[in-house]
Amino acid sequence: DDNSEQFHFYDYGPKDIATIFFYMLVAINLHAVIQEYILDKINRRLHLSKTKHSKFNESGQLAFFYLFSFLWGASILNTEEFMMNPTSLWKDYPHSRMIFQVKFFYICQIAYWLHALPELYFQKIRKEDIPRQLCYICLYIAHISGAYILNLQHLGLILMVPHYLVELIFHASRLFYFSDENKQKGFTIWALLFIMVRLLTLTLSVLTFGFGLARVENPGFSIADGNFNVLPVRIGCLGAVCLTQAWMMWKFINFQLKKWREHVKNQIPKKKITSTKNKRIKKEPNRG
């Protein structure tokens, strides 16, 4: 049909390294612009301590990135209708041909998380915060690059979009908390969505690697064709996802327990103050 719309498809290759490096430099410049013209101005008004200042900058940068990535990823999912057809996660695998939006999305994602490594030096991150940030940066690079190289772009997109929404809510709540410590409702919403997204991630991963790809398995392992649908790769991918989700839940539980202990400690002095006030009122004679 001469009137039909034409689509150009892309795959990955060694030239992607140069493209990723270019957009990594772009991300470094954007990071500096957001820091200087937005976050630093807000920091001057809030007069935060050094610890809160570092966390505010981290959450500010990540909130911008998660918002942009969530909207972009949701737009791709809506256009491609991946969510409406779960079998697209494994049907016609390998998905070695990508439309431009999907390829560019993954290029930008990898470039952003790679740019976060030199930013640890540029932003003069405190030594005690470097291991934590380095850990989640490397996890992002490993998982996103793995989905891109193993031709699991559909699954990666569907898992990234809700994950980015949850992270966006967390860092936005963190920013509101720094401006006013009474604003903590966002953390409750984040906690509920966090658990739901972890369950969604595990369900889709087991469904894809354990059932979907196993049924359409092509026994030939071919790097040239982009076919990695063999048992060792599937077990490795599923294991990596499960271990990461378990580690995230462990961190989440420890975080909630820490907050609960802090809340209990803050409530004890308040109870003592109210009890002493009540005793004083009882001891005072009635004046009439």
Side-chain angles (χ1 to χ4, degrees):
D1 188 0
D2 295 334
N3 295 325
S4 63
E5 187 178 358
Q6 293 183 354
F7 292 93
H8 296 279
F9 294 93
Y10 301 83
D11 56 7
Y12 62 82
K15 293 181 181 179
D16 287 347
I17 297 174
T19 310
I20 290 171
F21 179 74
F22 171 76
Y23 284 104
M24 185 179 73
L25 298 179
V26 173
I28 291 174
N29 287 315
L30 290 175
H31 190 118
V33 170
I34 293 172
Q35 183 67 46
E36 183 175 354
Y37 292 99
I38 299 177
L39 298 179
D40 285 346
K41 290 183 179 181
I42 298 175
N43 270 319
R44 294 190 195 101
R45 294 180 181 180
L46 296 178
H47 303 289
L48 299 174
S49 62
K50 289 184 178 180
T51 304
K52 289 184 177 180
H53 179 83
S54 177
K55 292 181 178 179
F56 183 87
N57 289 336
E58 179 188 1
S59 292
Q61 293 286 350
L62 289 174
F64 276 106
F65 169 73
Y66 287 135
L67 176 61
F68 175 75
S69 297
F70 168 72
L71 294 176
W72 189 6
S75 175
I76 296 174
L77 290 180
N78 182 53
T79 303
E80 296 300 308
E81 298 181 350
F82 292 153
M83 296 294 291
M84 302 302 295
N85 185 18
T87 58
S88 64
L89 296 177
W90 58 82
K91 188 178 179 181
D92 299 327
Y93 181 87
H95 305 134
S96 56
R97 297 293 181 265
M98 298 170 280
I99 62 171
F100 174 76
Q101 285 293 333
V102 173
K103 180 178 175 65
F104 191 42
F105 180 82
Y106 273 91
I107 290 289
C108 291
Q109 293 296 312
I110 297 171
Y112 178 85
W113 290 112
L114 284 175
H115 113 280
L117 294 174
E119 285 294 344
L120 295 175
Y121 173 77
F122 295 147
Q123 294 293 318
K124 297 179 180 179
I125 304 298
R126 298 187 309 164
K127 290 183 179 180
E128 53 267 29
D129 290 337
I130 289 178
R132 175 183 60 84
Q133 294 192 27
L134 193 62
C135 182
Y136 73 73
I137 290 170
C138 291
L139 283 173
Y140 273 114
I141 293 172
H143 283 75
I144 296 173
S145 300
Y148 183 65
I149 294 171
L150 298 176
N151 289 317
L152 297 168
Q153 298 91 353
H154 297 179
L155 178 63
L157 262 171
I158 292 179
L159 296 184
M160 264 192 284
V161 170
H163 174 76
Y164 280 170
L165 175 62
V166 173
E167 293 300 305
L168 170 63
I169 293 173
F170 173 76
H171 288 285
S173 302
R174 209 179 182 191
L175 294 174
F176 285 118
Y177 174 77
F178 289 141
S179 61
D180 185 358
E181 293 187 356
N182 294 320
K183 296 179 180 179
Q184 299 188 26
K185 293 182 179 179
F187 291 111
T188 304
I189 299 172
W190 163 73
L192 294 173
L193 290 177
F194 183 90
I195 297 173
M196 293 173 63
V197 171
R198 300 288 72 78
L199 293 174
L200 174 66
T201 301
L202 289 173
T203 302
L204 289 178
S205 299
V206 171
L207 185 65
T208 302
F209 295 113
F211 297 97
L213 289 175
R215 291 181 179 179
V216 297
E217 180 177 2
N218 186 348
F221 179 83
S222 176
I223 297 178
D225 296 332
N227 184 14
F228 302 94
N229 188 17
V230 291
L231 183 61
V233 175
R234 292 202 306 271
I235 292 176
C237 292
L238 183 59
V241 173
C242 291
L243 287 174
T244 303
Q245 301 308 305
W247 176 77
M248 292 177 70
M249 279 302 301
W250 175 254
K251 298 285 287 184
F252 173 79
I253 292 170
N254 286 334
F255 176 79
Q256 295 298 330
L257 288 175
K258 182 181 177 182
K259 289 293 181 183
W260 179 74
R261 288 168 186 164
E262 290 177 355
H263 177 73
V264 171
K265 288 181 180 179
N266 292 332
Q267 290 298 321
I268 292 173
K270 291 181 181 179
K271 290 181 180 179
K272 289 182 178 179
I273 292 171
T274 53
S275 62
T276 52
K277 284 184 178 179
N278 291 331
K279 288 179 181 179
R280 288 177 182 176
I281 291 170
K282 290 179 180 179
K283 290 180 178 179
E284 287 180 358
N286 293 328
R287 296 178 181 178

